[in-house]
């Protein structure tokens, strides 16, 4: 039975070969729809129908880091709508002109530890940086820097989560690349805001190994 208290762990459910998962902790709040691949990821080659087709071009792919949180009814728009040319007089995707009309937006990246709010839309080819927050109902059309809160349509920066120096130090630590044992050992400091304590614990842990 679906309920808002439950979640879909992506590594257990994702089947599309064009979706790449970094780890085993990213999730989708799937209580209100048909799940991540059927409801969130739109126009991505590799589902049970399009998987039978031979792609006419290199497929834009979706990369999801570890510890990514994706809110209910979010939409990640992929490559299936890249055939509406705004620089042509007609926007219509005529099948006999489909290859000429296609313009790749590139791969889409949801970096480690980011949070996509409820009903947010991620447009093709953007990168949501590590630890970034996308407010509910936002439309992301451009890359989002790490540890930045954005909101609106189109989404614009609201504020950084931490000072620029702290963000640089966080990125240098590469906490989402740590082995599981180290991450768990330092979890209380990761779930905190004392960057000095986290750096010291990181150094102590590595020196003990």
């Amino acid at each position: 039975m679906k309920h808002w208290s439950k979640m879909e762990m992506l590594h257990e459910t994702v089947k599309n070969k064009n979706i790449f998962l970094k780890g085993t902790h990213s999730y989708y709040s799937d209580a209100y729809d048909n799940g991540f691949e059927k409801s969130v990821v739109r126009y991505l080659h590799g589902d049970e129908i399009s998987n039978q087709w031979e792609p006419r071009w290199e497929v834009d792919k979706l990369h999801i880091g570890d510890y990514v949180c994706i809110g209910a009814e979010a939409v990640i728009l992929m490559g299936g709508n890249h055939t509406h040319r705004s620089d042509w007089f007609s926007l219509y995707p005529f099948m006999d002109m489909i290859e000429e009309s296609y313009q790749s937006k590139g791969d889409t990246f949801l970096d480690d530890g980011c949070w996509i709010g409820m009903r947010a839309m991620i447009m093709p080819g953007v990168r949501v940086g590590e630890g970034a927050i996308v407010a509910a109902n936002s439309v992301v059309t451009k890359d989002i820097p790490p540890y930045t809160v954005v909101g609106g349509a189109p989404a614009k920066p609201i504020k950084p989560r931490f000072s620029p120096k702290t963000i640089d130090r966080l990125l240098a630590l590469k906490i989402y690349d740590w082995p599981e044992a180290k991450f768990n050992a330092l979890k209380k400091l990761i779930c905190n805001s004392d960057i000095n304590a986290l750096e010291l614990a990181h150094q102590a842990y590595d020196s003990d190994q």
Side-chain angles (χ1 to χ4, degrees), residues 142-207:
K142 296 180 179 179
D143 292 354
I144 301 173
Y147 295 96
T148 301
V149 182
V150 302
K156 296 181 180 179
I158 297 172
K159 63 178 182 179
R161 292 179 56 198
F162 308 104
S163 72
K165 285 186 178 180
T166 297
I167 291 174
D168 287 343
R169 292 163 73 182
L170 268 172
L171 293 173
L173 283 172
K174 300 184 182 299
I175 60 176
Y176 295 106
D177 292 336
W178 290 354
E180 188 94 3
K182 179 178 179 180
F183 193 96
N184 287 332
L186 303 186
K187 189 182 294 181
K188 286 188 176 180
L189 292 171
I190 296 170
C191 298
N192 208 303
S193 57
D194 188 339
I195 188 65
N196 293 323
L198 181 58
E199 285 177 334
L200 289 171
H202 155 70
Q203 293 164 5
Y205 186 95
D206 285 357
S207 66

Side-chain angles (χ1 to χ4, degrees), residues 66-175:
D66 209 0
Y67 296 93
V68 172
C69 313
I70 302 175
E73 299 180 313
V75 169
I76 302 171
L77 201 58
M78 297 298 295
N81 70 332
H82 295 349
T83 53
H84 302 273
R85 289 284 294 264
S86 62
D87 59 330
W88 287 4
F89 298 130
S90 176
L91 296 168
Y92 193 86
F94 297 102
M95 287 308 297
D96 58 344
M97 298 286 290
I98 205 73
E99 292 189 27
E100 293 90 339
S101 67
Y102 181 81
Q103 290 182 306
S104 173
K105 305 294 185 183
D107 291 359
T108 299
F109 295 83
L110 306 183
D111 287 346
D112 299 315
C114 69
W115 178 18
I116 310 301
M118 182 180 287
R119 294 183 176 171
M121 178 177 285
I122 310 299
M123 296 300 285
V126 302
R127 179 184 288 271
V128 179
E130 178 181 315
I133 298 175
V134 178
N137 285 309
S138 299
V139 180
V140 177
T141 61
K142 296 180 179 179
D143 292 354
I144 301 173
Y147 295 96
T148 301
V149 182
V150 302
K156 296 181 180 179
I158 297 172
K159 63 178 182 179
R161 292 179 56 198
F162 308 104
S163 72
K165 285 186 178 180
T166 297
I167 291 174
D168 287 343
R169 292 163 73 182
L170 268 172
L171 293 173
L173 283 172
K174 300 184 182 299
I175 60 176

